[in-house]
Amino acid sequence: MADSNGSSARVFMTGEWRYLAMLNYRIDPSVLRPYVPKGTELDTWNGETLVSIVGFRFLRTRVLGAPAPFHRHFPEVNLRFYVRYEIDGEVRRGVTFVREIVPRPAIAWTARLLYNEPYVALPMQADAPTRPNQTPGRVSYAWRTKSGWNHMAVRPMGEPAPLRDGSKEQFITEHYWGYTAQRDGGTTEYQVAHPRWRVWQGAEPEFKCDVAALYGPEFVASLSAAPTSAFLAEGSEIAVYMPRRIA
């Protein structure tokens, strides 16, 4: 597996992310500023500040090299935005999460404990292939809250194509770092390594969600509009490295 940044840090988790449905929305940067981890700044594409709803299958999960019993295969849905961090003249492009949904409480508990990531555990369903190199139909991910079932979906069109340099798809998929605000006001950084993905353009995007309850009322206006783009990434094997403090 390609490691795009040559990290020497210890690998915490490996697995596969497959069939990543991505719905992308413009948002007022003032909504995101309270969520920006200390030491980082908002990243933009052609002057646009974006948030993404991302649903995918997490397969063949291993933690510190060992299979995670009963927790190897599961769907995840997250709301994320894009940040930058500069160190010694290098600009690292990363993501920060507003909320991450998984179906198993142990996964959410571990992520909150080790990374302080904003995970919640909810009942979930996925309608996506379970093996790579398949041509999917409509791909959907669903989760249940107190208000009922919510879902996101997209239908891929044509054949998957390599990422085009400078495209919105490249901007969204090629952020290889994660930045997380900590309880004491500091920030941790972790690397995510994977090869470049191919993507299908998406049609008929759907997002039905009680946005105010799950993400906060400040996200309602942006996530109630039509997405500015929608696509499906094939995915690949991935590696998530141990976190370190930067601020």
Side-chain angles (χ1 to χ4, degrees):
M1 175 174 48
D3 182 335
S4 301
N5 298 284
S7 175
S8 60
R10 186 182 184 190
V11 173
F12 171 68
M13 179 185 294
T14 60
E16 299 176 22
W17 292 347
R18 299 291 182 183
Y19 302 103
L20 296 95
M22 298 184 169
L23 309 184
N24 311 295
Y25 301 81
R26 292 190 188 95
I27 192 167
D28 187 325
S30 66
V31 173
L32 297 179
R33 287 194 183 106
Y35 296 88
V36 175
K38 184 178 180 180
T40 71
E41 60 181 321
L42 286 172
D43 199 5
T44 61
W45 180 79
N46 288 354
E48 292 184 359
T49 303
L50 300 169
V51 293
S52 300
I53 296 287
V54 181
F56 61 98
R57 285 196 181 274
F58 206 143
L59 304 174
R60 285 167 271 283
T61 308
R62 301 176 72 91
V63 177
L64 298 176
F70 308 108
H71 294 78
R72 298 201 67 199
H73 314 296
F74 53 90
E76 178 176 323
V77 171
N78 60 59
L79 173 62
R80 73 187 203 182
F81 64 95
Y82 304 95
V83 298
R84 298 157 53 94
Y85 173 63
E86 186 170 351
I87 179 171
D88 298 330
E90 175 193 355
V91 176
R92 295 178 175 176
R93 306 178 75 181
V95 301
T96 293
F97 295 98
V98 177
R99 179 73 70 214
E100 298 165 88
I101 308 169
V102 290
R104 300 189 184 276
I107 298 168
W109 180 85
T110 301
R112 289 196 300 264
L113 178 67
L114 293 180
Y115 289 84
N116 198 38
E117 290 283 3
Y119 271 83
V120 295
L122 297 171
M124 297 187 72
Q125 296 177 350
D127 185 4
T130 56
R131 299 191 308 275
N133 303 317
Q134 294 184 273
T135 301
R138 178 177 177 272
V139 170
S140 67
Y141 298 94
W143 59 99
R144 191 178 70 203
T145 64
K146 292 180 180 179
S147 62
W149 280 100
N150 306 258
H151 77 273
M152 57 146 345
V154 67
R155 181 173 61 80
M157 299 188 298
E159 298 296 325
L163 292 168
R164 180 172 52 84
D165 288 343
S167 66
K168 184 180 290 188
E169 292 82 3
Q170 183 198 29
F171 173 83
I172 288 165
T173 60
E174 295 204 330
H175 282 71
Y176 291 104
W177 300 87
Y179 294 94
T180 308
Q182 299 301 297
R183 298 176 184 88
D184 63 2
T187 299
T188 57
E189 169 194 77
Y190 58 92
Q191 185 186 5
V192 179
H194 62 76
R196 266 195 163 190
W197 295 330
R198 297 190 305 170
V199 301
W200 289 270
Q201 291 303 307
E204 302 170 12
E206 296 180 19
F207 180 55
K208 176 186 176 184
C209 179
D210 186 348
V211 172
L214 188 59
Y215 303 119
E218 64 270 32
F219 290 95
V220 170
S222 295
L223 298 182
S224 298
T228 62
S229 68
F231 60 90
L232 182 73
E234 283 185 310
S236 65
E237 296 180 352
I238 60 93
V240 180
Y241 289 82
M242 294 292 287
R244 70 178 190 94
R245 291 185 68 91
I246 63 166

